[in-house]
């Protein structure tokens, strides 16, 4: 009977806490958190981990860590090793395994998606910093593969050629267009080109009224994606992928897949808005970026893979 009353009190306090936080901000909510800890013996992070499910749980855990008064926990996005993150949480919060066996048993599984995303961002940033090198045979082979994928019936006369304009590069040497996004920009574009949407995207880019440069557009979307990744505004997408995938490990292929989905979505977005001229491109790209942010904050924070 006593346990039921305590659980009821915890439920009521949780509701009250959310009301206080909504009205007076997190500072007001923290006062109820202290009372909840006194009643339940559990920190907020423990309650979230054991009471919520799916993406809501992961979002709430990240928010809890970012709002922590402890600098070590605030820096959770810099930790790529799950045991390091979990041991830090247990130590800082003084959580004893014998006092919360459920949390202690599942803590590594619970926080693994957060570290997976942190690790993925490090890998993406590292690849973006790899400069395209015309003397690197691997880089050049990928570029030639890109041409062959998008122009299977047309041979490239020369490495330096005006033909590159057909698939949306600005000049006669595509290497100059990869200066901002490096090899990462090429890998994203090649991944997109190999899909069915790559072929349809190239056709769409030659629309007589609403055409655009496919390669340059891809590099722009790669840049937008990296900005949103580095500011944490795409974390919900990968949290969703981790949770729905059974806490699977993320790889750079997941980033390439996201780029393909974003580029495909942007092409439709851009042409649906019927731009008066190509000079409106940046305006529409900015509007698309805002739409992506809104989607990430919503109930379906994911861009499904495209074929």
């Amino acid at each position: 009977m006593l346990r039921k009353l305590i659980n009821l009190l915890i439920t009521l306090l949780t509701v009250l806490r959310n009301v206080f936080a909504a009205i007076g901000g997190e500072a007001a909510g923290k006062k109820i958190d202290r009372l909840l800890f006194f009643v339940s013996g559990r920190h907020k992070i423990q309650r979230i981990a054991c009471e919520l499910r799916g993406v809501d749980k992961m979002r709430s855990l990240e928010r809890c860590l970012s709002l922590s008064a402890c600098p070590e926990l605030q820096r959770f996005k810099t930790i790529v090793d799950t045991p390091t993150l979990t041991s830090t949480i247990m130590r800082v919060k003084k959580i004893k395994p014998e006092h919360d066996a459920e949390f202690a048993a599942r803590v590594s599984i619970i926080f693994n998606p957060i570290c997976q995303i942190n690790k993925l961002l490090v890998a993406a940033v590292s690849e973006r910093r790899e400069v395209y090198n015309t003397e690197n045979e691997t880089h050049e082979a990928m570029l030639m593969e890109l041409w062959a994928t998008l122009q299977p019936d047309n041979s490239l006369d020369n490495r330096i050629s005006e033909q590159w304009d057909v698939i949306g590069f600005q000049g006669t040497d595509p290497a100059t267009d990869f200066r901002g996004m490096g090899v990462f920009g090429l890998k994203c574009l090649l991944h997109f080109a190999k899909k069915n949407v790559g072929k349809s995207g190239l056709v769409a880019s030659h629309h007589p009224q609403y055409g655009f440069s496919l390669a340059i557009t891809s590099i722009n979307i790669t840049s937008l994606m990296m900005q949103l990744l580095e500011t944490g505004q795409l974390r919900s997408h990968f949290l969703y992928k981790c949770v729905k995938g059974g806490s699977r490990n993320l790889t750079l292929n997941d980033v390439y897949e996201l780029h393909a989905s974003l580029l495909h979505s942007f092409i439709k977005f851009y042409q649906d808005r019927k731009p008066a001229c190509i000079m409106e491109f940046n305006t529409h790209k900015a509007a698309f970026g805002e739409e992506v942010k809104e989607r990430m904050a919503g109930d379906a924070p994911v861009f499904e893979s495209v074929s």
Side-chain angles (χ1 to χ4, degrees):
M1 184 65 178
L2 180 61
R3 173 47 56 187
K4 288 183 179 180
L5 288 173
I6 291 174
N7 288 339
L8 178 60
L9 179 58
I10 290 172
T11 301
L12 291 173
L13 285 173
T14 301
V15 173
L16 188 61
R17 188 252 179 240
N18 293 335
V19 172
F20 269 52
I23 297 173
E26 283 299 319
K30 282 183 179 294
K31 294 179 181 179
I32 306 297
D33 282 335
R34 286 192 284 272
L35 186 54
L36 273 165
F37 176 71
F38 177 77
V39 173
S40 68
R42 281 179 162 185
H43 290 283
K44 181 181 177 182
I45 200 166
Q46 293 169 275
R47 298 195 303 273
I48 292 171
C50 296
E51 294 169 9
L52 298 182
R53 295 290 180 270
V55 178
D56 286 341
K57 175 170 74 176
M58 301 313 303
R59 281 173 162 174
S60 296
L61 286 172
E62 288 205 336
R63 181 170 174 76
C64 181
L65 290 170
S66 65
L67 293 173
S68 171
C70 175
E72 277 189 274
L73 297 185
Q74 291 173 7
R75 294 192 292 268
F76 73 94
K77 291 181 182 178
T78 66
I79 302 174
V80 300
D81 179 61
T82 303
T84 299
L85 177 59
T86 55
S87 63
T88 300
I89 291 170
M90 299 288 280
R91 172 175 53 79
V92 170
K93 293 296 185 179
K94 296 183 173 62
I95 300 172
K96 303 294 184 182
E98 59 269 24
H99 294 160
D100 192 344
E102 180 186 1
F103 181 79
R106 300 184 63 246
V107 66
S108 293
I109 297 173
I110 292 168
F111 290 96
N112 182 58
I114 291 175
C115 291
Q116 284 292 322
I117 295 170
N118 296 344
K119 191 183 300 183
L120 185 65
L121 178 58
V122 170
V125 170
S126 176
E127 189 163 90
R128 185 193 63 189
R129 289 174 178 164
E130 184 180 354
V131 178
Y132 186 94
N133 184 356
T134 55
E135 296 182 1
N136 185 306
E137 292 182 0
T138 302
H139 295 179
E140 287 286 283
M142 282 192 290
L143 185 61
M144 293 302 107
E145 184 181 3
L146 175 66
W147 175 268
T149 301
L150 291 176
Q151 294 291 300
D153 300 323
N154 297 314
S155 60
L156 186 66
D157 295 337
N158 294 290
R159 166 64 178 75
I160 305 298
S161 171
E162 293 183 357
Q163 288 176 280
W164 290 110
D165 174 71
V166 175
I167 60 176
F169 286 102
Q170 289 180 323
T172 58
D173 185 359
T176 60
D177 290 325
F178 290 120
R179 283 174 296 192
M181 288 292 109
V183 174
F184 182 61
L186 172 56
K187 287 185 176 180
C188 285
L189 176 54
L190 180 57
H191 188 87
F192 176 80
K194 289 179 177 180
K195 293 176 170 287
N196 292 329
V197 293
K199 314 301 186 296
S200 62
L202 182 62
V203 172
S205 73
H206 290 286
H207 190 282
Q209 289 177 279
Y210 313 125
F212 53 91
S213 300
L214 180 62
I216 295 302
T217 298
S218 173
I219 293 169
N220 270 273
I221 294 301
T222 304
S223 177
L224 172 65
M225 178 179 70
M226 285 305 300
Q227 290 171 22
L228 296 178
L229 274 172
E230 292 181 296
T231 55
Q233 290 167 297
L234 282 174
R235 290 184 72 89
S236 290
H237 169 86
F238 291 109
L239 286 173
Y240 185 93
K241 288 288 186 182
C242 274
V243 170
K244 295 301 180 181
S247 294
R248 69 178 178 83
N249 291 338
L250 296 171
T251 68
L252 279 172
N253 191 69
D254 291 292
V255 181
Y256 304 149
E257 283 289 307
L258 175 58
H259 164 268
S261 299
L262 288 172
L263 181 52
H264 176 63
S265 296
F266 175 74
I267 291 171
K268 185 177 187 307
F269 178 88
Y270 180 73
Q271 295 197 323
D272 283 350
R273 290 170 72 107
K274 297 179 170 55
C277 64
I278 195 64
M279 297 300 291
E280 294 183 0
F281 180 88
N282 286 334
T283 300
H284 295 303
K285 185 184 76 169
F288 178 72
E290 292 304 313
E291 186 174 277
V292 172
K293 293 175 189 176
E294 289 179 12
R295 184 166 177 174
M296 289 298 101
D299 295 329
V302 67
F303 282 85
E304 297 294 349
S305 296
V306 291
S307 59

